[in-house]
Amino acid sequence: ANAGLVDADVLDAMNDGAVVINYDRGEVIDAAALDAALASGKIRYAGIDADLFVDAADGALSGPMVPYREMEVRHRGKMELLPHAAADTEHLSRVEGAKQAVDQILACIRHKHVMNLKGDLPEGYTDAGAKTVDGVGKVTAGRLHAAAHDTNTTTALRAAAEDACAIWGALDATHDAERKAELLSLYGADLIAASNRFATLMDQMGLQGPYDA
């Protein structure tokens, strides 16, 4: 139902020299209309993320990326093409990645802050440093430092860790099978709740993954 939603009328309504970014389904944009808009200069640059499939038998290409490959040759330097690789990631990082992309674009437009800079910094803009999607990539020293100086976070993490450690300690010290089963019956729910609180807090603070000192 969304195929061709961004058509010639939509592109014509944009400011002259606008940039089009489509990291959703490739079919959302009318490729022929975008081709014409790039040729006329109405659109000065386009970033397209779309699926591309290869037939294993004969190597034939299919999918919404196909027309863009031909367009990129005609408009060399005015297009960026990416494979639709977001579908290969788990749901959390897809959602967080989309949120971060929006935040980066708004920060650039509203405040002239450029995050994850590639190439030269445009005049009048500020380099906002690098950031990975929360839960993806290495934990930086700066992020750990920020978490350690957040009293509410350290207090909550300590409480969750101590609750879990107390129960694990009791289980580790108990070698009688019946007594261990009794402890699990009494404190199993508390153990899981404390462990989940700790894991959730660590994830929210971006402290999951290898540490980059």
Side-chain angles (χ1 to χ4, degrees), residues 44 79 101 105 110 146 155-156 162 166 177 188 210:
R44 66 181 173 88
M79 295 191 74
I105 293 170
R110 291 178 176 175
T155 299
E162 288 179 346

Side-chain angles (χ1 to χ4, degrees), residues 100-122:
Q100 180 177 318
V102 172
D103 289 343
Q104 289 184 201
I105 293 170
L106 289 177
C108 189
I109 294 172
R110 291 178 176 175
H111 310 295
K112 294 191 174 182
H113 294 167
V114 182
M115 190 179 299
N116 294 326
L117 174 68
K118 302 298 181 184
D120 297 328
L121 183 69

